[in-house]
Amino acid sequence: MKTILITGATSGIGEALCQDYQKLGHKIIACGRNTEKLARLSTYQNIDCIEVDVCVQQQVNEKLSDLGELDMVILNAGSCEYIDDAKNFDGNLFARVINTNLIAMGYCLEALLPQICNGGQLALVGSSASFLPFSRAQAYGASKAGVAYLARTLALDLKKHHIDVSLISPGFVKTPLTDKNDFKMPMQISAQQAAEEIINGLNKRQFDIHFPKKFTLILKTLALLPDSWWQAISARSLQK
Ligand SMILES: NC(=O)c1ccc[n+]([C@@H]2O[C@H](COP(=O)([O-])OP(=O)(O)OC[C@H]3O[C@@H](n4cnc5c(N)ncnc54)[C@H](OP(=O)(O)O)[C@@H]3O)[C@@H](O)[C@H]2O)c1
């Protein structure tokens, strides 16, 4: 039985991961802000819940610094907002998204890394949105590009501490986060399918966990093109 801490466990991908790992017999520490959801999760055997806003460093320090030995930490909490008018750039929106998706990860890392055991695992949830620049995704994409860099560098420096790092880059997953989107989301999968992909990848201790493969491999291939090509493709699709 492993002890697995999951942030953003009250909804979508995090909730599905929480339930799957619980069914597999592990002990889960589920983190989030939604008190009703946390109360419901805590009725399951082997799920302990912690109400914490990951953007508030004092709360993170007080609530997450002294949990004991952890086998795996999955930093999944995140939000998505779009910049609708790049010319009238919304700096507050930009700060909000970067704070939740990236800066808060730093707070969690400070509190949690010392507790990850020798041979343990750390997983950061990024996004396939960071593979290429997408229209309106200045804030979300930049935050997830930051997460990807953070994961790559942590993988280098945590090796000597025998902690394996994984970067999780989902394509479109049906959750409350994407239910707000007003555009087509090709090859969208369920949160349940996403959780299965993540658990599979983490079992194999893979660094680069991305899915659904058909979608993410297309993006990874397009990302090899010169920027000017991608800009031309994007401009054409935005005109349609
Ligand atoms: N859905 C997709 O298509 C997709 C694709 C690529 C990447 N992702 C990434 O996957 C992760 C999970 O997304 P999701 O789609 O499952 O979204 P979701 O259903 O909206 O869940 C987001 C989770 O993050 C938590 N959270 C947000 N802000 C928080 C804060 N300040 N403090 C504590 N918890 C906070 C929420 O908890 P409370 O509600 O309890 O505050 C919730 O549990 C995110 O990092 C997202 O960027 C999602």
Side-chain angles (χ1 to χ4, degrees), residues 125-165:
V125 178
S127 168
S128 57
S130 71
F131 298 171
L132 281 164
F134 289 100
S135 165
R136 295 164 67 217
Q138 288 82 5
Y140 185 70
S143 73
K144 293 301 187 179
V147 171
Y149 194 92
L150 180 62
R152 289 195 178 98
T153 51
L154 284 169
L156 300 179
D157 290 329
L158 294 178
K159 208 152 203 98
K160 62 174 176 281
H161 298 284
H162 309 287
I163 295 171
D164 285 328
V165 177

Side-chain angles (χ1 to χ4, degrees), residues 5 7 29 31 50-54 56-70 73 75 104-117:
L5 182 140
T7 67
I29 303 176
C31 304
I50 300 179
E51 189 187 330
V52 60
D53 184 334
V54 290
V56 183
Q57 189 174 21
Q58 197 188 343
Q59 276 190 34
V60 172
N61 284 339
E62 281 172 11
K63 300 191 178 188
L64 301 185
S65 291
D66 193 18
L67 302 171
E69 204 168 71
L70 302 169
V73 167
L75 299 181
M105 245 184 208
Y107 300 154
C108 291
L109 288 169
E110 181 180 325
L112 295 166
L113 265 174
Q115 302 170 80
I116 301 184
C117 67

Side-chain angles (χ1 to χ4, degrees), residues 8-14 32-34 52-55 76-78 100 125-127 140 144 170-173 175-178:
T10 51
S11 173
I13 298 170
R33 293 172 301 184
N34 183 327
V52 60
D53 184 334
V54 290
C55 293
N76 159 76
T100 307
V125 178
S127 168
Y140 185 70
K144 293 301 187 179
F172 290 113
V173 182
T175 68
L177 183 143
T178 46

Side-chain angles (χ1 to χ4, degrees), residues 79-84 86 88-103 136-146:
S79 68
C80 181
E81 291 180 76
Y82 293 108
I83 302 272
D84 287 327
N88 291 303
F89 201 87
D90 186 340
N92 282 327
L93 181 159
F94 189 75
R96 230 174 13 247
V97 175
I98 301 275
N99 245 330
T100 307
N101 293 354
L102 185 60
I103 306 295
R136 295 164 67 217
Q138 288 82 5
Y140 185 70
S143 73
K144 293 301 187 179

Side-chain angles (χ1 to χ4, degrees), residues 3-22 26-33 38 41 46-52 54 64 67 70 72-77 108 112 123 125 168 195 198-199 202:
T3 301
I4 302 170
L5 182 140
I6 303 170
T7 67
T10 51
S11 173
I13 298 170
E15 188 177 8
L17 276 173
C18 203
Q19 286 169 347
D20 280 7
Y21 273 128
Q22 189 269 350
H26 299 294
K27 182 188 167 193
I28 313 299
I29 303 176
C31 304
R33 293 172 301 184
L38 289 171
L41 280 171
N46 291 331
I47 300 186
D48 290 341
C49 290
I50 300 179
E51 189 187 330
V52 60
V54 290
L64 301 185
L67 302 171
L70 302 169
M72 195 190 291
V73 167
I74 304 175
L75 299 181
N76 159 76
C108 291
L112 295 166
V125 178
I168 297 166
I198 293 169
I199 291 173
L202 290 175

